[in-house]
């Protein structure tokens, strides 16, 4: 029970990596809030989380929209009274294309979800964490946000952006005892990858580590979960 009674807000918790992390956090005793745009998925995830004996709040919310995000954070605050851990996990990847052929609206959509989303959710959550002088923020990045891959400009730019956001924010809120790190989860079998790669359940360990006091000195860092105990989906 490494996260007993901690409250975690996990965006994109209805499926894939976010859901696997939410279930693992629940097993470690955390109270969970999840959001995504698909109500049916977060409701199903919430049932599985509650079956593990903890509380779960599921809120339909598009993280790229300011007002719904404010309401989401208000609801979590009302229900649990605080947020100890924020995981900015919700993300999208458009079909790979060369820059010259990338549609402007798809570029904008990628930035809206992958960059504006984490900014909006973090901006809404920060005052709660700053008041308590405590918190852990984990941003989900990608190996594509740390290297050069042809035809992935929109996704790569959003993930390089999230690395910059992580390090800047870490420098800004360190004095409030708020730690901000990013995780590159490896290649994970989810809807985003056409269900190819490691199982989502096998990449959650680093997310638990970053939420506990065991990682107390770690902030502004880019961690990988791919080397932890990745298992290929059978
Ligand atoms: N799978 C990999 O190999 C891999 C590798 C590197 C990084 N990542 C990153 O890992 C994160 C999770 O991806 P995944 O692989 O688990 O993909 P996934 O199965 O497609 O899950 C993405 C989650 O984000 C939610 N989401 C997307 N847009 C949203 C929005 N505007 N507002 C709220 N929720 C939204 C989705 O729900 P709705 O669509 O219903 O909103 C879903 O719950 C992403 O940030 C992704 O970039 C994945």
């Amino acid at each position: 029970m490494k996260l007993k009674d901690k409250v975690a807000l996990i965006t994109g918790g209805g499926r894939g990596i976010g859901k696997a992390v939410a279930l693992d956090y629940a097993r470690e005793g955390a109270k969970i809030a999840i959001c995504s745009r698909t109500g049916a998925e977060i409701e199903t995830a919430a049932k599985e989380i509650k079956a593990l004996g903890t509380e779960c709040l599921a809120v339909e919310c598009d993280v790229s929209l300011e007002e719904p995000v404010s309401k989401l954070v208000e609801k979590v605050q009302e229900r649990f009274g605080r947020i100890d851990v924020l995981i900015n996990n919700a993300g999208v990847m458009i079909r790979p294309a060369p820059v010259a052929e990338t549609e402007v609206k798809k570029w904008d959509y990628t930035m809206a979800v992958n960059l504006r989303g984490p900014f909006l959710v973090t901006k809404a959550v920060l005052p709660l964490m700053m008041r308590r002088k405590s918190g852990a923020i984990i941003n989900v990045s990608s190996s594509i946000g740390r290297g050069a891959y042809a035809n992935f400009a929109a996704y790569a730019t959003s993930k390089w952006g999230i690395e910059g956001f992580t390090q800047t924010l870490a420098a800004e809120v360190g004095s409030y005892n708020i730690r901000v790190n990013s995780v590159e989860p490896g290649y994970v079998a989810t809807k985003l990858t056409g269900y190819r790669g490691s199982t989502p359940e096998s990449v959650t360990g680093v997310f638990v580590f970053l939420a506990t006091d065991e990682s107390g000195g770690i902030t502004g860092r880019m961690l990988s979960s791919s080397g932890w105990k990745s298992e290929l989906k059978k």
Side-chain angles (χ1 to χ4, degrees):
M1 286 289 192
K2 290 180 185 164
L3 301 174
K4 187 150 177 45
D5 295 330
K6 289 212 188 234
V7 177
L9 168 57
I10 302 167
T11 68
R15 63 171 188 259
I17 295 168
K19 180 179 174 184
V21 172
L23 286 164
D24 217 9
Y25 273 29
R27 277 180 214 106
E28 295 293 350
K31 296 172 185 167
I32 309 291
I34 50 173
C35 79
S36 84
R37 297 166 300 183
T38 310
E41 283 186 352
I42 46 174
E43 289 306 332
T44 303
K47 271 190 201 142
E48 290 177 39
I49 290 163
K50 286 179 194 163
L52 294 168
T54 191
E55 292 178 60
C56 181
L57 175 68
V59 181
E60 230 176 285
C61 172
D62 182 335
V63 295
S64 68
L65 302 176
E66 192 174 354
E67 207 185 312
V69 166
S70 297
K71 287 197 177 132
L72 161 73
V73 174
E74 271 169 32
K75 281 181 189 158
V76 183
Q77 169 73 359
E78 263 169 42
R79 172 74 177 268
F80 296 121
R82 61 176 206 273
I83 296 174
D84 300 295
V85 185
L86 165 63
I87 306 187
N88 282 310
N89 163 77
V92 291
M93 186 172 76
I94 58 169
R95 190 185 292 273
V99 170
E101 289 165 27
T102 298
E103 288 177 48
V104 175
K105 67 172 191 236
K106 292 197 174 159
W107 175 277
D108 289 346
Y109 172 60
T110 306
M111 299 309 150
V113 179
N114 293 4
L115 267 184
R116 190 173 198 262
F119 160 68
L120 290 177
V121 181
T122 303
K123 183 173 159 62
V125 167
L126 269 180
L128 314 180
M129 290 184 168
M130 287 165 92
R131 222 175 293 141
R132 294 173 49 83
K133 284 208 171 351
S134 168
I137 297 174
I138 304 166
N139 296 320
V140 181
S141 181
S142 168
S143 58
I144 298 177
R146 299 176 185 174
Y149 296 82
N151 302 327
F152 283 90
Y155 186 72
T157 302
S158 72
K159 294 301 186 182
W160 276 85
I162 205 69
E163 299 288 11
F165 181 66
T166 301
Q167 292 183 38
T168 309
L169 186 64
E172 214 174 280
V173 298
S175 57
Y176 290 90
N177 191 32
I178 300 169
R179 296 183 298 108
V180 192
N181 294 287
S182 69
V183 169
E184 171 278 294
Y187 190 51
V188 187
T190 67
K191 191 171 180 189
L192 188 138
T193 57
Y195 298 99
R196 285 183 295 268
S198 312
T199 61
E201 298 73 30
S202 69
V203 301
T204 57
V206 68
F207 291 90
V208 173
F209 171 68
L210 283 174
T212 65
D213 296 339
E214 281 174 34
S215 59
I218 299 178
T219 192
R221 299 290 167 181
M222 309 181 334
L223 275 72
S224 284
S225 65
S226 41
W228 277 56
K229 51 164 188 158
S230 298
E231 291 159 11
L232 281 179
K233 193 173 159 58
K234 305 229 164 43

